[in-house]
Amino acid sequence: MTLSELVQLAAGSTVIGTIISVVFTRVTNKEKHDIDLLDRAYKEINRLDSIVKLLKSDLDDEKYMRKKTEKERDFLQKQLDNVLWELEESKHEIERLLEKLKRR
């Protein structure tokens, strides 16, 4: 082998090595990019999951407060109904007493 053939062989192998290196670097960068995208998606899913948990907790609190308020409203409505009934009974009693007084 002559010196020029050795130089061509060395240059050719260097070019081939560079091409292989570029291909692997490109593939590695693409894989790294894909892994970064998956990592960001995972972090975003976790962030959204924590927001959903907070909102669900708030909703559960609101449901509890609504039920409690409805029970209090029902209780107060029954008390009001009783007071109105007693007032009506008292009115009738007063009317009867007035009728009795008028007859005397």
Side-chain angles (χ1 to χ4, degrees):
M1 269 189 144
T2 66
L3 183 61
S4 69
E5 288 176 340
L6 287 175
V7 170
Q8 287 177 350
L9 181 62
S13 64
T14 303
V15 170
I16 291 173
T18 303
I19 291 172
I20 291 172
S21 176
V22 166
V23 168
F24 280 124
T25 301
R26 181 174 163 82
V27 168
T28 303
N29 284 340
K30 185 179 181 323
E31 288 173 350
K32 183 180 183 302
H33 179 70
D34 290 346
I35 289 170
D36 288 343
L37 285 176
L38 287 172
D39 186 51
R40 285 193 304 184
Y42 178 77
K43 288 177 182 174
E44 185 65 12
I45 288 169
N46 283 337
R47 186 183 73 81
L48 293 173
D49 188 47
S50 65
I51 290 172
V52 166
K53 286 178 183 176
L54 287 173
L55 291 174
K56 185 177 180 320
S57 174
D58 289 348
L59 181 62
D60 290 343
D61 291 345
E62 289 291 327
K63 285 180 181 179
Y64 171 77
M65 289 304 294
R66 175 177 277 174
K67 284 184 180 182
K68 184 178 176 183
T69 304
E70 286 174 354
K71 285 180 182 180
E72 289 174 358
R73 184 200 63 208
D74 291 344
F75 176 74
L76 291 173
Q77 183 64 45
K78 286 179 183 179
Q79 283 186 329
L80 178 63
D81 291 344
N82 286 338
V83 167
L84 288 173
W85 184 81
E86 289 174 4
L87 185 64
E88 190 67 31
E89 287 297 310
S90 296
K91 177 185 167 190
H92 290 304
E93 184 63 30
I94 291 172
E95 287 174 349
R96 277 182 274 201
L97 289 172
L98 282 174
E99 279 298 317
K100 280 185 181 180
L101 284 175
K102 283 182 183 178
R103 288 183 190 168
R104 283 187 174 181

